[in-house]
Amino acid sequence: MKALYEAVIEGLGEGIIALNGNLEVLLFNQKAEELTGLPSSHVIGRPVSKAFPSNRWIEEMAGRALVGGYTLYDHERELQKPDGSSIPVGVSLSPFYLEGERGVAIALKDLSGLKPLVEEERGKERLAFLGTLVAGIAHEVKNPMSGLKGAIQLLSRRIEGDDLKEYVRVMEEEIERIDRLLERLLTFSRPGSKTRKKVNVHEILDHAISIFLEEAEKRGVSFLKVYDPSIPPIRADRDGLIQVFVNLIKNSLEAIEGAGRIEVRTRVGPELIVLSGKERRLVSVEIIDSGKGIDKETMDKAFTPFYSTKEGGTGLGLPLSLRIVHEHGGLMRLERLEMGTKAVVMLPLIKD
């Protein structure tokens, strides 16, 4: 029976730590080793304060659970690792009795994979709300702008004098600029095409890359394509995906100062997503540049409509791309690299 208990504890997907009444570590399973970055030989038999000096909250919470004799929960804590990195974990602590002595069992649940999904869902809700809001504003502004544009055109035919005509010309240019902005806003808010046909992801990527080949060659930027030939055609909106990958490749090219390289990789990922009650595999497309990288603030706001660090940028490219990927039932994220940035698009492998 002891062997069974040990096998169960080692096989759990949560980190399990058991402490005695003196808050010394009695048990430390394999998942706990993985989450903390510490071997069991380093912590077994040691006081929790010395075993986890960078995570004082473990000692504090364990002490409270031990003295109070009740279960404690914390939805999220930052677990510091010896290498300086950290991961978010959910924590639960429960007191137990063993041979008349009270102890505390601690369960650590890795939240690092869950947080992006939560943020993804919040992003979908924000985009849906903003799309409705933007559509209403753009529609209300566009109607009077059309009347104003017509009035200025009539005025330009009737006035005399170069000075006055120059003023009218400036007004016409500004009206045209506002009109173009309104069109972009309406494009952002308009639902994407519901038409899905069988498309070849690699053909779409080749098309998007070809648009930038001349500019890339002039700047000394090369493309490296690493395609998974086993990926079959999928059902998708071809024009929508072209727009997504054009936006991402354009961002990568603009991030590279001088010579550099853009890698475009595809593979069938191990992840599964549930769509219409069916589990689907995901086709992963990674666009990796050797550019200057992206700071944390910019990455956090990258998918926020109208946020842009580029001069003259509208801040609609990435939000629009994200919306298109969402409409396909897919996922999209940015990752900071030591050198450059990686954009990841994951699309459901729907063939029928």
Side-chain angles (χ1 to χ4, degrees):
M1 188 62 71
K2 180 182 178 182
L4 174 61
Y5 289 153
E6 290 177 351
V8 170
I9 289 173
E10 287 300 324
L12 288 174
E14 296 183 344
I16 304 297
I17 306 171
L19 310 177
N20 63 18
N22 296 321
L23 297 184
E24 295 168 336
V25 181
L26 298 175
L27 183 145
F28 198 71
N29 75 346
Q30 186 174 336
K31 189 64 178 181
E33 290 184 321
E34 178 187 326
L35 293 177
T36 62
L38 297 169
S40 59
S41 59
H42 181 78
V43 298
I44 293 291
R46 301 186 70 189
V48 69
S49 59
K50 293 184 178 179
F52 311 107
S54 300
N55 296 283
R56 293 293 183 185
W57 56 267
I58 296 179
E59 179 185 13
E60 184 266 330
M61 291 185 71
R64 283 163 54 197
L66 187 68
V67 173
Y70 48 74
T71 299
L72 284 177
Y73 296 98
D74 197 325
H75 292 294
E76 186 175 332
R77 285 276 187 165
E78 284 295 318
L79 186 64
Q80 300 292 328
K81 291 189 171 187
D83 62 3
S85 64
S86 66
I87 59 169
V89 292
V91 186
S92 64
L93 301 92
S94 301
F96 65 84
Y97 287 90
L98 180 64
E99 297 177 352
E101 183 183 357
R102 180 182 288 178
V104 179
I106 305 171
L108 304 175
K109 184 176 181 61
D110 185 2
L111 300 180
S112 56
L114 182 62
K115 287 191 75 175
L117 296 179
V118 173
E119 289 301 317
E120 188 88 13
E121 194 59 37
R122 288 175 180 167
K124 287 181 182 180
E125 294 173 358
R126 285 196 298 267
L127 285 175
F129 171 75
L130 283 168
T132 303
L133 179 64
V134 164
I137 293 174
H139 184 267
E140 291 301 317
V141 174
K142 197 169 179 63
N143 288 337
M145 286 297 295
S146 297
L148 188 58
K149 184 177 180 181
I152 290 175
Q153 288 173 344
L154 288 174
L155 181 63
S156 67
R157 297 173 191 160
R158 297 189 178 185
I159 63 172
E160 296 180 359
D162 291 340
D163 290 344
L164 292 176
K165 286 185 176 181
E166 177 62 19
Y167 291 141
V168 172
R169 186 190 65 78
V170 171
M171 285 190 288
E172 285 179 327
E173 285 185 359
E174 288 303 297
I175 291 292
E176 289 292 339
R177 186 178 65 83
I178 295 172
D179 197 49
R180 288 193 297 272
L181 177 59
L182 291 174
E183 281 299 320
R184 284 197 291 269
L185 292 175
L186 287 171
T187 298
F188 172 72
S189 63
R190 198 175 292 130
S193 171
K194 300 298 181 183
T195 304
R196 301 285 190 267
K197 296 181 179 179
K198 282 192 174 183
V199 298
N200 186 308
V201 174
H202 299 144
E203 183 272 326
I204 290 175
L205 287 168
D206 286 342
H207 180 88
I209 290 170
S210 69
I211 295 173
F212 299 97
L213 282 177
E214 186 175 351
E215 181 184 353
E217 186 177 355
K218 289 179 181 177
R219 296 175 54 177
V221 176
S222 61
F223 284 94
L224 173 65
K225 297 187 287 187
V226 184
Y227 292 167
D228 180 350
S230 69
I231 297 176
I234 64 172
R235 284 201 171 273
D237 170 22
R238 183 178 184 276
D239 290 346
L241 292 188
I242 287 175
Q243 186 170 4
V244 169
F245 295 129
V246 163
N247 282 336
L248 294 178
I249 293 171
K250 181 174 182 288
N251 286 347
S252 291
L253 192 57
E254 290 175 347
I256 298 174
E257 299 174 347
R261 187 171 75 176
I262 298 173
E263 296 182 27
V264 183
R265 298 177 173 269
T266 65
R267 64 184 177 89
V268 176
E271 304 91 347
L272 294 174
I273 193 168
V274 178
L275 289 175
S276 303
K278 295 182 179 180
E279 291 184 346
R280 305 281 190 178
R281 285 206 171 276
L282 291 169
V283 174
S284 175
V285 179
E286 299 178 351
I287 298 174
I288 308 163
D289 66 64
S290 60
K292 57 190 176 183
I294 181 172
D295 59 70
K296 187 177 186 304
E297 180 185 0
T298 301
M299 189 171 73
D300 290 342
K301 297 179 180 178
F303 296 108
T304 302
F306 314 115
Y307 176 80
S308 177
T309 58
K310 304 173 187 175
E311 185 176 349
T314 61
L316 291 176
L318 283 177
L320 180 58
S321 298
L322 180 62
R323 198 201 65 188
I324 293 170
V325 172
H326 282 168
E327 288 173 349
H328 281 77
L331 304 170
M332 182 175 173
R333 68 174 185 268
L334 298 179
E335 295 180 11
R336 298 167 64 196
L337 304 177
E338 189 173 336
M339 290 285 291
T341 306
K342 179 198 290 187
V344 182
V345 174
M346 291 185 284
L347 299 166
L349 186 53
I350 302 175
K351 298 182 286 185
D352 45 19

